[in-house]
Amino acid sequence: MIYLANLFSQLFYFVISIGLVGFIIYLLNVLFYRLVGNGRVVCYASGLIGTPIHELSHALMCLIFRHKIEEIKLYQMDDSSGTMGYVSHSYNERSFYQKIGCFFIGVAPIIGGSLVIHLLMWLLLPEAYRDINIYLDDFSLLLKDGFSFDIFIYSFAVMTESLETIFTSFDKGLYCVVFLLLGACIALHMKLSGADIKNALPAIPGIVLIIVAINVVFAIISIFSMKTYYLICSAVNSVGVYLFALLLLSLCLTLICIAIAFVIKGIKLIVGAIPRR
């Protein structure tokens, strides 16, 4: 049973959670642009920061998995297609390594954007960064020994703690405002395009196969030393937990954007309801 628990943990942290959080961020982004009304202006403005990070995340994964970058556009204002940036790449379809790279290249904006948001917090709000990481250490210790359905309860706790830490950082003044603005711009452009999803999906069976193969090796190790097995699985699961926590922080920034959009929408409704003379 412990073997299956660890296998499912790694599948959740490294595959399912990325897709799940990415899908939620996509839905929230759609809601945001509907709420603000003139979404094109906001999209282009926030895209000055968010789109280059989105595309550079794709490009970095292309380099890691040895894909050939044919063309890259970090930012453009194309009303006809709605495409604000792109990375055109090719790869050797006979290479298993390059083929599984399609998954990581496809979901790269979610991972890359989350890492940049985390870095921004470290640079601009070091005390908030420290407080959240203390909480994440506890979160990691609770979940590193395998998947538990309590993860969803802990996830809400992590998000609540992150939001509370961010809002209590307003005494930092300009630093907090800059973090929220930059983080919002990044979060609003983390959603995956249809092409991103199309490229990532075919590689998922290969990713699953690798995770299963790794766990078979771990199981063989457990025959000789159960202690070593626990240490290795705990380390791998801890990495997965931190990745999941990074995604949750990005989700928090998206939720803050939604809250702001609701405020803007409310102000517009109030102003529109005032009778004009």
Side-chain angles (χ1 to χ4, degrees):
M1 183 61 71
I2 186 65
Y3 301 117
L4 289 176
N6 278 311
L7 172 62
F8 190 78
S9 295
Q10 289 147 31
L11 288 173
F12 177 83
Y13 294 135
F14 296 107
V15 180
I16 299 173
S17 68
I18 296 174
L20 181 62
V21 174
F23 180 66
I24 294 173
I25 287 177
Y26 169 80
L27 293 178
L28 291 176
N29 280 353
V30 171
L31 175 60
F32 173 84
Y33 287 115
R34 287 182 178 176
L35 287 171
V36 296
N38 192 359
R40 182 175 297 176
V41 174
V42 177
C43 188
Y44 281 141
S46 60
L48 284 168
I49 295 170
T51 301
I53 291 175
H54 181 113
E55 303 307 336
L56 286 172
S57 299
H58 284 311
L60 178 60
M61 284 297 179
C62 284
L63 294 175
I64 292 174
F65 287 95
R66 300 174 59 193
H67 284 222
K68 182 181 179 181
I69 298 176
E70 306 284 354
E71 186 179 3
I72 181 170
K73 179 71 72 173
L74 295 181
Y75 181 79
Q76 65 179 8
M77 297 174 66
D78 188 346
D79 289 336
S80 59
S81 66
T83 301
M84 297 181 64
Y86 59 86
V87 176
S88 177
H89 58 98
S90 60
Y91 66 98
N92 181 3
E93 295 187 3
R94 291 179 295 179
S95 170
F96 181 71
Y97 178 73
Q98 293 185 33
K99 187 172 290 186
I100 64 169
C102 291
F103 173 78
F104 296 99
I105 294 169
V107 302
I110 299 174
I111 300 174
S114 297
L115 287 171
V116 173
I117 289 173
H118 205 63
L119 177 62
L120 285 173
M121 176 170 280
W122 176 67
L123 290 171
L124 297 171
L125 301 174
E127 293 181 5
Y129 176 85
R130 181 200 61 207
D131 292 343
I132 288 179
N133 271 276
I134 291 173
Y135 199 79
L136 292 182
D137 286 337
D138 296 336
F139 184 56
S140 177
L141 289 172
L142 287 168
L143 301 178
K144 71 177 184 179
D145 292 328
F147 181 86
S148 167
F149 285 102
D150 288 340
I151 186 175
F152 297 106
I153 298 174
Y154 297 138
S155 298
F156 284 110
V158 168
M159 291 176 63
T160 302
E161 180 70 17
S162 297
L163 287 169
E164 181 182 344
T165 303
I166 291 171
F167 281 114
T168 54
S169 298
F170 272 110
D171 62 339
K172 302 302 178 185
L174 183 61
Y175 291 104
C176 186
V177 173
V178 171
F179 169 74
L180 287 174
L181 285 175
L182 294 178
C185 289
I186 296 169
L188 288 173
H189 291 270
M190 283 174 57
K191 72 174 185 177
L192 304 181
S193 66
D196 294 337
I197 297 171
K198 183 179 178 180
N199 288 332
L201 286 178
I204 291 179
I207 301 295
V208 173
L209 181 62
I210 290 174
I211 293 176
V212 171
I214 289 174
N215 276 270
V216 169
V217 174
F218 289 171
I220 294 173
I221 291 174
S222 72
I223 296 174
F224 302 97
S225 174
M226 201 66 183
K227 182 179 179 180
T228 303
Y229 170 78
Y230 277 119
L231 287 173
I232 294 174
C233 285
S234 292
V236 173
N237 288 339
S238 292
V239 172
V241 168
Y242 270 92
L243 172 61
F244 184 52
L246 289 178
L247 300 178
L248 292 178
L249 180 59
S250 299
L251 186 55
C252 286
L253 265 296
T254 310
L255 289 172
I256 291 174
C257 292
I258 293 295
I260 294 172
F262 270 113
V263 171
I264 294 173
K265 183 72 171 180
I267 292 173
K268 286 183 177 180
L269 290 174
I270 293 172
V271 172
I274 297 174
R276 297 182 180 180
R277 295 181 180 179

